[in-house]
Structure formats: structure tokens, C-alpha cells
Amino acid sequence: MLSYLRVTFAAALLLTASMRAQDAGVIESRLIGHPLYLRGMWDDNQLEFNGDGTLHGKSAITSLTTSGLDVDSVTAQGKTKLLIRAHRVYIHWEADGRLVRTPMKIENRVFNEFGHQVDRFVNRYEMKILLLSDASGSFDEALHAAFADGLPDMTASVPKFWACWARGYFVEHPDLGTARETVDACIQEKSLARALRHTPDGPDFEPPRLLGDLRLPAPAVGRSLRATGSDEIAFIVSTHGIAVGFQIRRPFGLGIDEAVIQALAEAKFAPATIRGEPVVADMNYVADIGALARALNQ
């Protein structure tokens, strides 16, 4: 009888372990091979989420275009924890609006140790994500709250300046021509200058202009890439020469869009005028990313 109980207990342990492995395998199949994004756009590569999907601890925020990830493995840790190993991907848009997801690569970094330069390979983009289950033992709520499965699922989580682009392009199989028209119509809809009828429709209108050079902060990803192309941002210039109401008209990706917006927000502008009087006006800024990237690397 004792021997029978031992065998039964051992079988129960094996069954429990098998079920846990199966659950991890099922979750792994839901994650691996999917174009995932961190809904919170967290910058840290070691993250922990509670059973309801809230972040445990703190993390800085990264850009939308550096918050993508590809999952490599999912491992059960007891009954209440899942360890997800992943790596970040960066996102870049081609000129026609097509999306490219590219894994971030290991960097060769030079460290100064005791007066000597030492080369080391550093992968800043490997991720370890720990998920806790809810009270019922399910990981579903945490998974849904932590990860978006593709950009259409990410639409509700993006910052306001991505809203028009998301309306046009964050849909399943977007028609690229129609998507661009949707973005432009959305930007016009949000334009305070158009609502006030401050539009360049007469000889007495003088458009706003940038004063001085744009001071671009070094984006963490763009600095290390040989970036080429352009970035187009629509915004409003107030009567005091302040840029507000940003919307991305054509993104570049790699975290550079947010860096350009930050630089524009800190820049000074001469406001638009009608018959010499300052007025609110729309402005469109096209950044040469190649030139900006070269300046960052100098």
C-alpha cells in the first residue's frame, strides 16, 4: 500500500510538472514569431509585471519605434512565474510607409579600465521579463496588459503625436495611398490654425520660420546607425513662436522621431504674421536624418 501511494504521489508530481511545461509551451506559441510591442514602451531590459500586468518597480520610457521585441523562450518558474527571454527590435519606415522590423545587434564598446582601453561586446538589447500570475494562476491578464500583438493592437497605447499616423497605417494590410490621405486629413482636422482661418491664402501672410539651428538630442539607437532618409513633422507655431501640437506626417523610426520632436519643442520660431500681426499657423518640418546622424557621430 505504501509503495502504491509513493508511485501515485510521484505520478502526480510528474503530471503537475507536465502541465506547467505545457502551459509554458502554450504561452510560448502565443508569443514566439509574433510582432510584439511593450504597451508601456518601457526602456529597461529587465522588467517584472504583476498578475494584472502593472509594472513592478520603475522604468524610463522609450520611443514607440524602439519598444518592439521578439520572444526567444518562455520558461515556467514554479506555478506563479514565467520568465520570458527576448531581444529588442527597432522599427523603421520606408519612404512609402512600409514597416521594417530589424533585431538590434550586439555593439562593440570601448571601456577604460585602469588607464587601458578594453574592447567588449555588449548586447544592450537582450531582455528578461518576469510575469507573475493572478490569483487564479492565469497569466492572461498580465500578457494582454504587458504586450501588444502588432501595431493595430498598439494603437490605443501610442502618444498623441502618433495618433494620426496610427489612424492611417496601424491597420491590417493598409493601402499605402489611402493611408497617407488619412494621415493628412487627420492633421488638418487637428489644426488650430485652420480652425482660426490662419492659412497661407493671401499675399499678406508670412509663414513661421525656425530661428537658428535645430539642436537634436542624441537618440540612443540612431546615434549608432548609418541612418539615411528624412523625417517629416507637422505642428503649430503659436503667436509667441512656440511649437505645439506635434503630429508625425512621415516617420523615420529608430527613436529619432521623438528626438526631432523634442528638439522642435525646445527651438525658437518667428511666428507667422498677417499684415504684420502675429498669428497661429501650421508648419511642416522635414529633417535630413543622414545629416543629423553624421552630426551626432562627430
Side-chain angles (χ1 to χ4, degrees):
M1 182 64 178
L2 183 59
S3 177
Y4 171 78
L5 289 175
R6 286 175 178 169
V7 171
T8 303
F9 180 66
L13 287 177
L14 288 173
L15 179 60
T16 303
S18 175
M19 289 178 65
R20 286 204 298 266
Q22 183 182 11
D23 291 343
V26 169
I27 293 173
E28 190 175 65
S29 68
R30 290 167 55 185
L31 300 180
I32 290 182
H34 290 257
L36 299 180
Y37 297 86
L38 290 167
R39 287 195 194 276
M41 294 181 287
W42 309 114
D43 186 53
D44 288 359
N45 286 337
Q46 295 195 29
L47 301 168
E48 181 177 331
F49 294 96
N50 298 320
D52 61 357
T54 58
L55 183 69
H56 182 74
K58 296 182 179 180
S59 171
I61 304 297
T62 187
S63 69
L64 169 66
T65 54
T66 58
S67 63
L69 70 153
D70 286 338
V71 171
D72 300 313
S73 66
V74 178
T75 307
Q77 294 190 338
K79 296 180 180 180
T80 61
K81 296 180 181 180
L82 280 179
L83 177 62
I84 298 172
R85 293 183 181 273
H87 58 274
R88 287 193 184 265
V89 300
Y90 63 72
I91 309 163
H92 171 64
W93 272 275
E94 301 291 347
D96 62 3
R98 287 179 298 175
L99 173 68
V100 178
R101 283 174 57 100
T102 305
M104 295 184 181
K105 299 178 180 179
I106 294 175
E107 295 179 337
N108 185 14
R109 304 278 298 277
V110 177
F111 294 85
N112 192 323
E113 293 185 357
F114 305 107
H116 299 282
Q117 288 188 340
V118 179
D119 286 343
R120 288 183 183 172
F121 290 99
V122 177
N123 192 340
R124 298 180 57 247
Y125 313 115
E126 288 183 347
M127 306 186 73
K128 292 181 180 179
I129 303 171
L130 188 67
L131 259 65
L132 307 182
S133 68
D134 61 18
S136 69
S138 172
F139 295 98
D140 287 343
E141 188 175 357
L143 287 167
H144 177 73
F147 304 120
D149 190 359
L151 287 173
D153 190 25
M154 189 70 173
T155 301
S157 305
V158 300
K160 291 181 179 179
F161 52 83
W162 280 102
C164 287
W165 185 265
R167 188 182 298 184
Y169 288 89
F170 289 11
V171 297
E172 295 290 348
H173 311 296
D175 176 88
L176 299 180
T178 303
R180 178 59 187 252
E181 293 174 2
T182 300
V183 172
D184 287 343
C186 176
I187 291 173
Q188 291 184 21
E189 172 191 317
K190 294 178 179 294
S191 169
L192 177 61
R194 289 182 179 272
L196 296 173
R197 298 184 179 179
H198 298 164
T199 55
D201 55 2
D204 295 328
F205 179 87
E206 290 291 336
R209 66 183 189 279
L210 176 67
L211 299 176
D213 297 325
L214 197 67
R215 299 177 62 85
L216 186 70
V221 178
R223 180 175 51 221
S224 62
L225 297 172
R226 295 178 180 177
T228 59
S230 61
D231 183 80
E232 189 173 349
I233 309 293
F235 54 97
I236 299 163
V237 177
S238 75
T239 55
H240 298 289
I242 299 172
V244 295
F246 297 101
Q247 285 293 332
I248 292 173
R249 176 166 263 128
R250 185 181 64 229
F252 185 81
L254 316 180
I256 292 177
D257 309 287
E258 287 83 357
V260 172
I261 288 175
Q262 180 183 339
L264 289 169
E266 295 172 355
K268 298 295 184 182
F269 294 84
T273 59
I274 296 179
R275 293 182 294 276
E277 291 295 324
V279 295
V280 174
D282 296 324
M283 187 168 179
N284 208 54
Y285 186 85
V286 179
D288 182 337
I289 300 303
L292 293 173
R294 286 192 293 274
L296 289 171
N297 284 319
Q298 290 177 355

